[in-house]
Amino acid sequence: MPQILFRNLNLLDPRWNEARAGYEVLVEGDLIKEVSSKPIKAAKAKVVDCGKRTLMPGLIDCHVHVFLSEVNIRNLENVPLTLMTGRAIGPTGGHSDSRRRTDIGAPCGCCNAMVYCMALADGADDVRKLVREQMRQGADQVKIMCSGGVASPYDPLDSLQFCEAEIAAATDEAKNFGRYVLAHAYTPEAITRAVTNGVRTIEHGNLIDAKSAKLLKSKGGYMVANLVTYFVMKEKAAQFGMTADMLAKNDIVLDGALRSLEICKAAGVKVGYGSDLLGQLQVEQSREFMFRAEVLKPLEIIRQATTVGAEILRQEGKLGIVEPGAFADLIVVDGNPLKKLELFLDQGAHLPMIMKAGKFHKNALK
């Protein structure tokens, strides 16, 4: 099995408080084989000299929309059907209801690609059936809608979507398959309803309060914040067709964005790193680091994008760390990100090496 030996580096394992010099890391296949503060003997390994740069685990975006490739969601109706998959589930009239007001009945599945990324369910039995279908298709988790959203045209932001029985049906079925449920939820009421009925992660959570944060902590749940999408939508989304009503809702959740991180920190809620950007705005992904830096320390943010993300994905010991047996998901940074988070910006310009599962996706090092 091929080996790659990284030398002359400063190692940043997010479990530490700082980067440490003098380490070497040996990769074999798709796993990390050895990590040592002494020279590693591997005669047949390809040696990569990191030039005293920082080597660290790859970053985890826990809320990224691979298939929502348009800021104006309506444009997805025309995307080829073969390019769409992964259905978020919500009630009629809710955040996953993509129909126009004049549409009657279920959307057409033969020519409307949005059917394959958003699903409607009303009543516990309907929800249960759809979740089982997601499990059949191999989903690792299920997303449900528990409050209104910004990018959906007709639902108020503070609307409560899915009743307790519907949420419980989703979480029960996911648990039966060894999976979990994540919920789109902004308000304390929506967060409380979701968490009380078994939801594991809250997506967004911008309007969370101390009481609902305390509940989330008590249940061992997580929040996945994604501040960058609201800042960037305010800056640019209108030019891609986002309506005034949507942008007005965006202003409301934007107002609570940074405050939500402070509330979660005070309550001890672990927060994952997410971006949530749509389509043409996805190039702004790494600006999330800079927005979080207004209220959090760099190490806290890096942990959110590594070790906390690994916990959310239930991949502790495999992702987000640099130790033997973990996946060889690694990046090299031109400097120390604990001192300069800006090194994560500019679409990887300051990342001369990117490795996923032991394979180079970028390598400008010798």
Side-chain angles (χ1 to χ4, degrees), residues 98-120:
S98 60
R99 298 172 298 167
R100 295 172 172 80
R101 290 195 191 276
T102 53
D103 290 343
I104 303 297
C108 174
C110 66
C111 57
N112 184 340
M114 293 182 72
V115 172
Y116 298 97
C117 65
M118 298 181 186
L120 300 181

Side-chain angles (χ1 to χ4, degrees), residues 206 225-236 250 253-262 271-277 281-298 300-302 304 340-345:
N206 294 48
N226 25 65
L227 313 187
V228 63
T229 191
Y230 309 109
F231 286 96
V232 174
M233 282 197 294
K234 186 175 181 65
E235 294 171 0
K236 301 180 179 180
N250 187 71
V253 295
L254 182 58
D255 181 63
L258 293 172
R259 188 165 57 249
S260 71
L261 297 183
E262 295 175 311
V271 177
Y273 182 96
S275 61
D276 188 40
L277 292 160
L281 305 181
Q282 290 177 340
V283 294
E284 306 282 359
Q285 182 185 47
S286 295
R287 286 179 65 190
E288 179 75 13
F289 288 95
M290 307 315 301
F291 292 120
R292 295 191 185 207
E294 295 187 33
V295 293
L296 298 175
K297 297 176 181 178
E300 293 175 313
I301 300 168
I302 289 172
Q304 290 174 344
K340 191 177 181 181
L341 279 172
E342 291 87 345
L343 291 168
F344 291 132
L345 300 180

